[in-house]
C-alpha cells in the first residue's frame, strides 16, 4: 500500500476497506432496493459492556466483552470487529446495487453496464472453470517469446501495466521538494512474501513459512500445467531471486521514514547507472514522459536488480516473471483451483482464516476495487444523505479548532515552531463523503463473459490514468479511497484528511446519538487523521506538502524524546507469545491515536461547556464523560486470530485493537479521573506518554 508513489505516505486509520477507482449516473434514493435486515448498530451500546470487569483494570474487556460473546470470529475472517460489521453491511448494499444492474439489461447507464457486466462475469464461476488457463495463455506466451534480456524492458512495462509487479514499479507521485509537481517514482517490488524480513529471519516459524511459500509457488506452477518436478525446480528459482531482491530492500520500519525514500535523480543520468536494463525503453513502452527529474525510492535495490540481470540466466528470469503473472492473476478471473490455492497460503497459512469468503463477497469487492467511483456514486445517492456530510464537517471544524488551541498550550514547543504548525493546520483540506468530481470511465471496455480480459483492461486503464498525471498539475480533489470504504486517511503531500461516506454511519457516527458518543468515536478518528500531519512522518512535511524541515533543533529533540516514550511503551507489548510489537513501526499510528483522542476530548469539552451540559447526569447508567470513553473503546471491539496477530506485529503499522484502546487510555489521566481509577490499578500508569 505504502509503496505506491501517489499514496506513499497516505496514512490509513485502519487496515480495512475497499480500494479505489471510477463515474456513473446517479440513482435517486427512492428507487433503491430495500436495505438488508441487520441488527441495529450503535455508537454507544450498553449491551456490549461487561460490568463484571473492573473498568480500571481492563477497560477494553469492560467495554467489549458483550460484543465478543455476541460475535464469534467467522471462519472466513482473519479478524472481525466493529469495522467489519459496517464493512459487511456496506458490502450487502453494494451487492444489491450490483445484482440490480447486472440483471436489468435494458435500462442501464454506460457505467451501470460496466459494473453490472463485470459483476455478472465474476459470478459465472462455471464458465471461468471451463476456460481453464486458456485466457492467460497469450500472456504466458509473451513471456516465453523473448529471446534476450534487451527485450525485458518492454515486457516488464506490459506486465506492470496489467498488475504483475515483478522486480520494481513505476507510478506518478508528487515531488518531495515541490508538491505542486508530479514526477515519475520508481519503487522496489517483486516480493511474494509480505515484506523483506520474511526472507531473512531465522526463527523456526519464519523458516517454516518460507518452506510453505515455496510449496505454494510450486502448486501454482503445477496448476498452470507444469510437471511437478519442473514446478518444484521453478519454485526454488523464484525463491532464490526474491531472497536476493529482499536483501537489497528496506525494512518496513525504514520505509516509514520519507527521508529514506527521497532520492531525486536526473532520468538520463540514472538510466546510465543501469548497465543491463534500459529505463528509457521501459518508460517509452509505458508511454511515460520520463525525462528530467525522477525519484528512485531505493537506489540500492536498483543496483542489485541490475546485477541480477547481469548474472541470472534468461530462463530463470522468465520463470520469475511467469510466477508473477500467475500470482497477480490468481483471483476471481481464474479457475477456482488457482484462487483457492492463493487463499490457502495468504489467508489461511499466513493469517489463520478457516474458510474462503463467499463468491459474491469477493466479486463485490473486486468491482469496488476496479470501478469504485462508478459503484460509489450509486451507493452515495442511496445511502449517504447530505445532512450526514454537513454533520461531519461541523465536527471536523470543531476538532481543528481544538488543535489550534492545543498548539497554543504546548509547553515544549517554541513560538516560532508553533507558528509553522498552525500554518500547516490551517492549510488542511477536508474531504468528506465523496469526490466533488466523479471519475470518468467512458473509455474503459467491459465485456460480459470475459473476466480476465476485463481485469487486464481495468488494470491497463488505471495504470495509464496514473502515468498520464506526470508533468501535469496535481489534482487535489482526487480521492484515493472509494465512497463505501470503512476507513479514513491523511495525505501529507496534499495536506488533506479524507472521510468516506461508508465510514460515516453507525457504529462510528450517528445523528441519533449524543455528542459524547460521537466525539468519543468518530471525533477521535477525525483527530487521529489530523494528528497524522504532525506524527513522526507527517511532521516532516510542511503546510504545502513539501518534505521540508520546519522545526527548530530544540523542538525536534523534544518531539523525539516524547515519541521515544511511546516507542518503548509499545516495544514492551507482547502481541502473541514470543513476538513483541515494533514501537518504531507503530509509532505514527500510536501518536495519532493518542493525539486524536485528546483533540476529540478537548473539542467535546468545549461543546459540553457551551451547552451547559450536566456532566454528573447519567444516561443508560453512565455520565457523559464515561460515555465518551466507552464509545472510544467500543470502536475497537475485535476478535483476531493468533496467526494474524503475529503477521501484524511484523508488518502492520497499527497496534492490535486491544492496545489501541487500553494503552492509549492509560496515557490519558482524564480517563482515569472519569472512572475514579487510581494506582496501582492497571489502567493507571506512573509516567504516561504524551506528544500532542
Amino acid at each position: 500500500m505504502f509503496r505506491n508513489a501517489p499514496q506513499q505516505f497516505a496514512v490509513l486509520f485502519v487496515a480495512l476497506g475497499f480500494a479505489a477507482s471510477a463515474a456513473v449516473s446517479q440513482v435517486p434514493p427512492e428507487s433503491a432496493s430495500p436495505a438488508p435486515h441487520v441488527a441495529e448498530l450503535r455508537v454507544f451500546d450498553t449491551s456490549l459492556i461487561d460490568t463484571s470487569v473492573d473498568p480500571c483494570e481492563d477497560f477494553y474487556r469492560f467495554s467489549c466483552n458483550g460484543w465478543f460473546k455476541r460475535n464469534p470470529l467467522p471462519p472466513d475472517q482473519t479478524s472481525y470487529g466493529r469495522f467489519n460489521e459496517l464493512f459487511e453491511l456496506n458490502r450487502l448494499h453494494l451487492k444489491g446495487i450490483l445484482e440490480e444492474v447486472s440483471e436489468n439489461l435494458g435500462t442501464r447507464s454506460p457505467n451501470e453496464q460496466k459494473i453490472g457486466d463485470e459483476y455478472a462475469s465474476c459470478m459465472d464461476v462455471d464458465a471461468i472453470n471451463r476456460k481453464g488457463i486458456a485466457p492467460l495463455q497469450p500472456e504466458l506466451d509473451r513471456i516465453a517469446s523473448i529471446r534476450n534480456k534487451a527485450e525485458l524492458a518492454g515486457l516488464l512495462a506490459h506486465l506492470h501495466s496489467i498488475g504483475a509487479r515483478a522486480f520494481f514499479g513505476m507510478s506518478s507521485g508528487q515531488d518531495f521538494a515541490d508538491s505542486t509537481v508530479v514526477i515519475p517514482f520508481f519503487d522496489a517490488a517483486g516480493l511474494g512474501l509480505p515484506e523483506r524480513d520474511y526472507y531473512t529471519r531465522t526463527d523456526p516459524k519464519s523458516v517454516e513459512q518460507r518452506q510453505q511459500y515455496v510449496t505454494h509457488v510450486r502448486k501454482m506452477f503445477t496448476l498452470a500445467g507444469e510437471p511437478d518436478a519442473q514446478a518444484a525446480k521453478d519454485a526454488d528459482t523464484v525463491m532464490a531471486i526474491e531472497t536476493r531482491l529482499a536483501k537489497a530492500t528496506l525494512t518496513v520500519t525504514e520505509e516509514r521514514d520519507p527521508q529514506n525514500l527521497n532520492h531525486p535523480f536526473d532520468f538520463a543520468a540514472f538510466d546510465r547507472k543501469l548497465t543491463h536494463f534500459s529505463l528509457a525503453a521501459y518508460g517509452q513502452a509505458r508511454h511515460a514522459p520520463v525525462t528530467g527529474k525522477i525519484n528512485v525510492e531505493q537506489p540500492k535495490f536498483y543496483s542489485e536488480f541490475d546485477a541480477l540481470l547481469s548474472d541470472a540466466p534468461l530462463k530463470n528470469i522468465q520463470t520469475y516473471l511467469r510466477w508473477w503473472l500467475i500470482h497477480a492473476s490468481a483471483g476471481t478471473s481464474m479457475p477456482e483451483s488457482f484462487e483457492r490455492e492463493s487463499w490457502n497460503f495468504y489467508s489461511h497459512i499466513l493469517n489463520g482464516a478457516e474458510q474462503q469468503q463467499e463468491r459474491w463477497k469477493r466479486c463485490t469487492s473486486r468491482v469496488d476495487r476496479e470501478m469504485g467511483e462508478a459503484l460509489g456514486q450509486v451507493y452515495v445517492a442511496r445511502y449517504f444523505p447530505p445532512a450526514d456530510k454537513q454533520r461531519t464537517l461541523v465536527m471536523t471544524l470543531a476538532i481543528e479548532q481544538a488543535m489550534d488551541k492545543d498548539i497554543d498550550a504546548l509547553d515544549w514547543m517554541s513560538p516560532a515552531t508553533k507558528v509553522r504548525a498552525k500554518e500547516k493546520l490551517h492549510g488542511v483540506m477536508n474531504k468528506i463523503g465523496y469526490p466533488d468530481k466523479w471519475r470518468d470511465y467512458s473509455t474503459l471496455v467491459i465485456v460480459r463473459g470475459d473476466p480476465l480480459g476485463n481485469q487486464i483492461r481495468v488494470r491497463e486503464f488505471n495504470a495509464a490514468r496514473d502515468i498520464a498525471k506526470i508533468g501535469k498539475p496535481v489534482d487535489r480533489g482526487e480521492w484515493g479511497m472509494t465512497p463505501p470504504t470503512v476507513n479514513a486517511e491523511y495525505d501529507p503531500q496534499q495536506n488533506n484528511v479524507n472521510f468516506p461516506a461508508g465510514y460515516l454511519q453507525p457504529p462510528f457516527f450517528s445523528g441519533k446519538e449524543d455528542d459524547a458518543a460521537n466525539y468519543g468515536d468518530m471525533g477521535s478518528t477525525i483527530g487521529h487523521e489530523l494528528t497524522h500531519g504532525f506524527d513522526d512522518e507527517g511532521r516532516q512535511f510542511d503546510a504545502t506538502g513539501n518534505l521540508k524541515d520546519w522545526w527548530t533543533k530544540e523542538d525536534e529533540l523534544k518531539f523525539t524524546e516524547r515519541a521515544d516514550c511511546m516507542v518503548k511503551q509499545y516495544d514492551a507489548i507482547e502481541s502473541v507469545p514470543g513476538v513483541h510489537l515494533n514501537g518504531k513501526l507503530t509509532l505514527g499510528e500510536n501518536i495519532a491515536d493518542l493525539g486524536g483522542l485528546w483533540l476529540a476530548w478537548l473539542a467535546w469539552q468545549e461543546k459540553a461547556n457551551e451547552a451547559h451540559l450536566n456532566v454528573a447526569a447519567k444516561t443508560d447508567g453512565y455520565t457523559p464523560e464515561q460515555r465518551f470513553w466507552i464509545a472510544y473503546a467500543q470502536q475497537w471491539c475485535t476478535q483476531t486470530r493468533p496467526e494474524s496477530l503475529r503477521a501484524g506485529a511484523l508488518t502492520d503499522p497499527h497496534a492490535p485493537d486491544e492496545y489501541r484502546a487500553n494503552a492509549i487510555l492509560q496515557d490519558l489521566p482524564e480517563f482515569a479521573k472519569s472512572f475514579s481509577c487510581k494506582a496501582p490499578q492497571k489502567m493507571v500508569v506512573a509516567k504516561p506518554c504524551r506528544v500532542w
Side-chain angles (χ1 to χ4, degrees):
M1 180 187 305
F2 294 137
R3 292 183 182 177
N4 290 330
Q7 297 294 321
Q8 183 66 56
F9 296 103
V11 187
L12 300 184
F13 185 43
V14 286
L16 268 178
F18 305 98
S21 291
V24 81
S25 63
Q26 289 200 22
V27 179
E30 58 268 21
S31 69
S33 302
H37 176 72
V38 294
E40 182 183 10
L41 299 178
R42 298 286 308 278
V43 179
F44 175 91
D45 193 339
T46 55
S47 71
L48 308 186
I49 296 172
D50 184 353
T51 56
S52 70
V53 177
D54 186 341
C56 297
E57 292 294 330
D58 189 336
F59 195 71
Y60 183 63
R61 294 291 169 182
F62 166 79
S63 301
C64 291
N65 267 359
W67 188 90
F68 295 144
K69 294 174 183 177
R70 187 186 302 171
N71 294 277
L73 184 54
D76 66 344
Q77 303 279 356
T78 59
S79 66
Y80 190 83
R82 310 304 306 280
F83 290 89
N84 301 82
E85 283 186 300
L86 183 51
F87 180 94
E88 295 298 344
L89 174 61
N90 282 345
R91 190 151 56 177
L92 279 170
H93 291 324
L94 297 180
K95 177 190 179 188
I97 292 169
L98 288 169
E99 287 181 343
E100 180 181 310
V101 298
S102 67
E103 295 168 0
N104 299 336
L105 305 185
T107 58
R108 301 183 299 177
S109 71
N111 281 314
E112 290 168 341
Q113 174 267 315
K114 290 178 174 64
I115 62 176
D117 286 354
E118 179 66 311
Y119 181 74
S121 301
C122 180
M123 289 296 292
D124 193 355
V125 66
D126 290 338
I128 293 171
N129 287 337
R130 283 196 303 271
K131 291 178 181 178
I133 199 170
L136 194 63
Q137 195 59 49
E139 300 297 339
L140 292 167
D141 293 342
R142 188 191 294 257
I143 294 171
S145 69
I146 64 168
R147 295 293 175 258
N148 56 68
K149 294 177 184 177
E151 297 179 47
L152 282 173
L155 176 60
L156 278 176
H158 172 71
L159 290 175
H160 291 171
S161 72
I162 64 173
R165 283 174 50 82
F167 289 122
F168 68 92
M170 186 193 77
S171 54
S172 67
Q174 290 171 253
D175 186 349
F176 283 130
D178 183 357
S179 64
T180 66
V181 176
V182 180
I183 63 173
F185 271 57
F186 290 86
D187 66 358
L191 304 182
L193 286 168
E195 52 90 23
R196 62 98 68 194
D197 286 347
Y198 273 76
Y199 295 86
T200 60
R201 279 188 290 264
T202 58
D203 62 279
K205 186 64 176 179
S206 296
V207 172
E208 179 188 21
Q209 287 179 332
R210 285 196 291 274
Q211 294 169 343
Q212 292 169 320
Y213 177 58
V214 172
T215 299
H216 164 62
V217 176
R218 175 182 60 78
K219 289 181 178 179
M220 294 292 272
F221 276 134
T222 302
L223 290 172
E226 289 191 15
D228 195 63
Q230 183 62 44
K233 182 179 179 181
D234 287 348
D236 288 337
T237 296
V238 169
M239 189 61 176
I241 290 176
E242 291 191 1
T243 301
R244 185 170 173 180
L245 294 175
K247 290 178 178 179
T249 304
L250 296 178
T251 67
V252 288
T253 304
E254 291 169 335
E255 284 186 326
R256 288 197 65 256
D257 187 344
Q259 300 291 348
N260 290 336
L261 303 177
N262 181 28
H263 303 287
F265 286 91
D266 174 76
F267 174 75
F270 189 77
D271 192 20
R272 288 193 293 271
K273 288 178 176 287
L274 303 179
T275 56
H276 297 88
F277 186 81
S278 172
L279 273 188
Y282 172 86
Q284 185 177 15
R286 290 291 305 269
H287 306 289
V290 281
T291 58
K293 188 176 183 180
I294 63 173
N295 188 69
V296 181
E297 294 184 353
Q298 301 189 40
K300 177 185 174 183
F301 174 89
Y302 280 82
S303 296
E304 184 61 26
F305 164 61
D306 194 50
L308 189 153
L309 293 187
S310 171
D311 55 46
L314 178 61
K315 63 183 180 67
N316 287 8
I317 294 172
Q318 288 171 303
T319 295
Y320 169 78
L321 296 180
R322 203 162 61 248
W323 154 245
W324 267 90
L325 173 66
I326 295 168
H327 173 61
S329 306
T332 52
S333 296
M334 293 285 283
E336 286 180 296
S337 55
F338 285 86
E339 191 183 14
R340 188 162 50 246
E341 172 55 34
S342 184
W343 170 87
N344 180 65
F345 179 71
Y346 287 102
S347 295
H348 175 60
I349 291 175
L350 290 187
N351 287 289
E354 297 176 356
Q355 179 180 306
Q356 194 172 19
Q357 291 191 344
E358 295 174 80
R359 183 80 183 184
W360 72 264
K361 292 184 177 182
R362 284 133 56 200
C363 290
T364 298
S365 293
R366 169 179 172 167
V367 177
D368 190 65
R369 282 194 307 272
E370 294 180 342
M371 292 169 281
E373 288 188 20
L375 180 56
Q377 192 169 356
V378 182
Y379 170 86
V380 165
R382 298 187 183 194
Y383 299 111
F384 188 64
D388 285 359
K389 183 169 184 173
Q390 181 60 29
R391 277 194 294 268
T392 307
L393 177 60
V394 169
M395 183 182 291
T396 302
L397 294 176
I399 292 172
E400 289 174 349
Q401 185 177 18
M403 189 172 206
D404 186 285
K405 294 180 179 179
D406 191 47
I407 290 172
D408 283 334
L410 292 175
D411 61 3
W412 59 269
M413 181 177 280
S414 68
T417 304
K418 286 182 179 182
V419 169
R420 303 299 298 275
K422 285 197 172 189
E423 286 177 0
K424 182 167 185 176
L425 172 63
H426 297 160
V428 171
M429 177 182 178
N430 299 316
K431 294 161 72 172
I432 297 171
Y434 50 87
D436 293 330
K437 180 182 179 182
W438 294 100
R439 197 164 295 179
D440 179 10
Y441 274 70
S442 60
T443 60
L444 174 63
V445 176
I446 297 295
V447 178
R448 199 177 186 100
D450 185 20
L452 183 61
N454 291 338
Q455 176 180 285
I456 289 173
R457 286 186 290 273
V458 164
R459 290 177 175 178
E460 288 178 324
F461 177 90
N462 286 323
R465 182 181 178 279
D466 177 65
I467 295 301
K469 298 177 188 177
I470 296 173
K472 295 179 180 177
V474 174
D475 181 2
R476 295 188 179 274
E478 182 182 19
W479 279 60
M481 294 183 291
T482 67
T485 301
V486 184
N487 212 329
E489 176 186 64
Y490 172 76
D491 187 329
Q493 287 189 279
Q494 294 200 22
N495 195 23
N496 61 37
V497 290
N498 307 261
F499 306 107
Y503 196 7
L504 302 173
Q505 54 185 317
F508 304 114
F509 182 67
S510 172
K512 298 179 180 179
E513 298 197 43
D514 65 341
D515 287 333
N518 279 321
Y519 274 79
D521 195 329
M522 184 54 66
S524 67
T525 301
I526 295 169
H528 174 108
E529 300 308 334
L530 281 174
T531 305
H532 267 313
F534 304 88
D535 68 13
D536 59 317
E537 284 183 2
R539 74 171 192 83
Q540 299 185 57
F541 294 85
D542 67 13
T544 59
N546 295 325
L547 185 58
K548 184 177 180 180
D549 189 1
W550 49 272
W551 293 68
T552 68
K553 290 300 180 184
E554 286 186 358
D555 288 342
E556 184 177 0
L557 288 172
K558 291 175 181 177
F559 174 92
T560 301
E561 179 184 348
R562 284 158 174 76
D564 284 346
C565 175
M566 299 199 78
V567 171
K568 294 174 183 176
Q569 179 185 13
Y570 285 83
D571 275 346
I573 295 173
E574 193 172 27
S575 181
V576 292
V579 181
H580 283 249
L581 297 182
N582 181 339
K584 288 187 177 180
L585 176 61
T586 60
L587 179 59
E589 297 299 330
N590 298 335
I591 290 174
D593 280 345
L594 180 56
L597 183 56
W598 173 244
L599 291 178
W601 172 260
L602 293 178
W604 174 70
Q605 289 276 296
E606 182 75 18
K607 194 171 182 65
N609 289 336
E610 290 175 356
H612 303 290
L613 183 69
N614 182 357
V615 295
K618 293 186 177 182
T619 304
D620 298 325
Y622 297 94
T623 68
E625 289 186 357
Q626 292 172 334
R627 291 169 65 84
F628 176 93
W629 304 115
I630 293 170
Y632 172 75
Q634 286 187 339
Q635 70 180 299
W636 299 118
C637 301
T638 305
Q639 307 263 35
T640 307
R641 298 188 190 281
E643 297 90 341
S644 187
L645 284 172
R646 183 184 191 279
L650 300 174
T651 63
D652 194 345
H654 305 83
D657 290 351
E658 175 181 356
Y659 306 107
R660 298 187 78 171
N662 278 355
I664 294 301
L665 293 171
Q666 287 171 336
D667 286 332
L668 289 170
E670 293 77 10
F671 157 77
K673 182 179 178 182
S674 297
F675 282 89
S676 301
C677 302
K678 300 183 184 302
Q681 291 176 302
K682 292 180 181 178
M683 292 302 300
V684 180
V685 294
K687 294 182 179 180
C689 298
R690 174 69 65 84
V691 181
W692 295 99

